[in-house]
């Protein structure tokens, strides 16, 4: 028994915004993908997947689950009305510091926005110039974020430096300075980029489901056990307080196999999360996959981007879009 879990991030017409180079799924392509999914799959919710994992009712033939990461305003403005019109449900993963009462622009999105505004070469030079030289890695570095077919080597290198190599405090200092110089007030930007708690409650009342995406979107594999617990422990209670859900799922920031550890999985289990998703791109096998390491397929690996769903052997991972 298997399930196709589809992963989305930005759903917007980027060309109509101040950041036309942000990689996004356009509303038209989203509509076309939903057409294809509804013609070929039965869209289910996490409760149905959880029940099947626990030996309850089997999944429908060709089951599919729709997941949306990062709590973007796109999910309220663009995705919600389309899902409601089709009587579909989605699962939306929220980072608490981004979507809480005092939204903060996350480092991952500062990086994406600065890359889109400045370009890869200029942004890379600016980061290196702004960094304290003692904070820069010595020698060869590892790319742990996961394979991404759509980034060029320069973009991959700078994202890996910021998210995996630089100390968190230094990365935030550099990004804050560059964002203020090239884009503006990050706090004001955050209020316009992410869903509010009022929007979450409205979406929940409309039948949407929510999961947790950590407190601050730090790369979990870099953190100590205590730091990981601080990132994860409050998520179930926070989502339940917003939505009244009985169960709360999780998805890993970046999500490649090297972005979390066995300790992460243990903390998720002990903290009461129902299931968790990574970004290893293949179907879920309910009989074989760990319920805290369920794979997902990126929107760009499905029609209308491709001719059909990728073959089962095509398993690879990706970072956040």
């Amino acid at each position: 028994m298997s399930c196709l879990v589809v992963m989305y991030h930005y759903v917007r017409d980027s060309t109509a915004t101040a950041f036309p180079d942000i990689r996004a799924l356009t509303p038209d392509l989203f509509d076309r993908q939903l057409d294809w999914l509804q013609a070929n799959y039965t869209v289910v919710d996490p409760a149905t997947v959880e029940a099947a994992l626990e030996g309850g009712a089997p999944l429908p033939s060709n089951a599919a689950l729709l997941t949306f990461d990062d709590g973007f305003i796109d999910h309220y403005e663009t995705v919600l009305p389309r899902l409601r019109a089709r009587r579909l449900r989605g699962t939306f993963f929220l980072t608490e510091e981004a979507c809480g009462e005092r939204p903060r622009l996350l480092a991952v999105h500062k990086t994406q926005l600065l890359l889109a505004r400045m370009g890869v070469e200029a942004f890379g030079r600016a980061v290196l110039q702004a960094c304290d030289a003692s904070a820069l890695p010595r020698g060869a570095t590892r790319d742990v974020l996961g394979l991404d077919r759509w980034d060029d080597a320069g973009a991959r290198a700078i994202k890996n430096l910021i998210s995996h190599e630089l100390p968190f405090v230094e990365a935030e200092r550099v990004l804050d300075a560059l964002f203020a110089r090239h884009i503006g007030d990050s706090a004001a930007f955050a209020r316009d980029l992410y869903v509010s708690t009022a929007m979450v409650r409205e979406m929940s009342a409309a039948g949407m489901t929510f999961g947790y995406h950590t407190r601050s979107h730090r790369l979990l594999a870099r953190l100590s056990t205590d730091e990981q617990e601080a990132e994860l422990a409050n998520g179930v209670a926070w989502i339940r307080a917003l939505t009244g859900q009985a169960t709360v799922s999780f998805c890993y920031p970046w999500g490649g196999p090297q972005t979390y550890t066995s300790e992460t999985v243990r903390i998720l289990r002990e903290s009461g999360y129902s299931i968790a998703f990574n970004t290893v791109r293949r179907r879920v096998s309910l009989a074989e996959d760990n319920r805290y390491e369920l794979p997902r397929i990126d929107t760009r690996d499905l029609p209308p981007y491709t001719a059909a769903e990728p073959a089962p052997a095509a398993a690879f991972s990706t970072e956040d879009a």
Side-chain angles (χ1 to χ4, degrees):
M1 190 162 42
S2 68
C3 181
L4 173 72
V5 184
V6 189
M7 171 177 53
Y8 299 93
H9 292 87
Y10 295 98
V11 185
R12 59 172 63 178
D13 180 4
S14 296
T15 62
T17 74
F19 297 88
D21 292 329
I22 283 285
R23 193 171 71 210
L25 182 68
T26 66
D28 175 64
L29 287 176
F30 183 51
D31 283 332
R32 290 167 59 189
Q33 189 160 97
L34 291 178
D35 289 341
W36 178 80
L37 285 164
Q38 287 190 282
N40 294 279
Y41 295 86
T42 300
V43 177
V44 299
D45 59 16
T48 304
V49 176
E50 291 163 17
L53 282 166
E54 291 164 5
L59 289 176
S61 176
N62 272 351
L65 179 69
L66 309 181
T67 67
F68 302 82
D69 293 8
D70 294 338
F72 292 129
I73 192 74
D74 310 18
H75 303 160
Y76 176 78
E77 294 179 342
T78 304
V79 173
L80 176 63
R82 285 167 165 79
L83 295 187
R84 293 186 71 175
R86 295 169 180 262
R87 300 183 182 275
L88 299 177
R89 293 184 177 184
T91 300
F92 300 82
F93 293 103
L94 307 179
T95 301
E96 189 168 354
E97 289 188 358
C99 302
E101 296 298 336
R102 293 188 179 93
R104 182 180 72 84
L105 190 62
L106 302 176
V108 61
H109 301 135
K110 291 174 190 169
T111 301
Q112 291 168 0
L113 292 159
L114 284 163
L115 275 166
R117 174 60 55 87
M118 300 175 67
V120 173
E121 291 186 9
F123 178 56
R125 286 196 304 270
V127 168
L128 293 175
Q129 290 169 0
C131 278
D132 182 334
S134 65
L136 292 171
R138 299 286 186 264
T141 62
R142 286 188 309 131
D143 184 347
V144 305
L145 299 182
L147 179 65
D148 189 329
R149 295 182 296 160
W150 304 292
D151 268 345
D152 66 28
R156 296 292 301 161
I158 197 65
K159 288 179 179 181
N160 194 67
L161 173 66
I162 291 167
S163 299
H164 180 244
E165 301 292 347
L166 287 179
F168 289 119
V169 171
E170 179 67 0
E172 289 283 3
R173 182 190 70 78
V174 169
L175 290 172
D176 283 345
L178 293 178
F179 198 92
R181 185 182 312 155
H182 294 280
I183 297 177
D185 180 2
S186 65
F189 204 101
R191 289 191 291 272
D192 290 333
L193 184 64
Y194 305 118
V195 294
S196 67
T197 54
M199 292 172 187
V200 171
R201 293 188 178 98
E202 182 181 340
M203 293 171 72
S204 176
M208 304 301 128
T209 302
F210 288 86
Y212 202 57
H213 199 34
T214 73
R215 178 175 57 84
S216 67
H217 205 284
R218 287 185 169 180
L219 201 151
L220 292 165
R222 295 185 65 186
L223 304 180
S224 68
T225 298
D226 288 346
E227 290 169 330
Q228 289 199 54
E229 288 177 346
E231 284 287 324
L232 303 173
N234 188 54
V236 171
W238 183 64
I239 294 293
R240 282 179 174 164
L242 284 175
T243 67
Q245 290 175 201
T247 63
V248 177
S249 56
F250 179 82
C251 81
Y252 299 96
W254 289 281
Q258 298 181 78
T259 63
Y260 59 94
T261 68
S262 60
E263 275 294 282
T264 318
V265 174
R266 178 190 64 79
I267 294 167
L268 290 174
R269 183 177 61 251
E270 294 177 358
S271 298
Y273 294 93
S274 56
I275 53 179
F277 298 92
N278 59 29
T279 60
V280 175
R281 300 221 300 256
R282 60 172 173 79
R283 277 175 170 253
V284 171
S285 170
L286 271 69
E288 298 177 3
D289 286 320
N290 182 325
R291 67 186 299 142
Y292 295 103
E293 297 183 90
L294 301 178
R296 296 187 290 172
I297 291 178
D298 191 270
T299 175
R300 288 178 176 246
D301 288 325
L302 298 172
Y305 283 106
T306 64
E309 180 186 339
F316 50 97
S317 62
T318 182
E319 67 164 311
D320 288 85

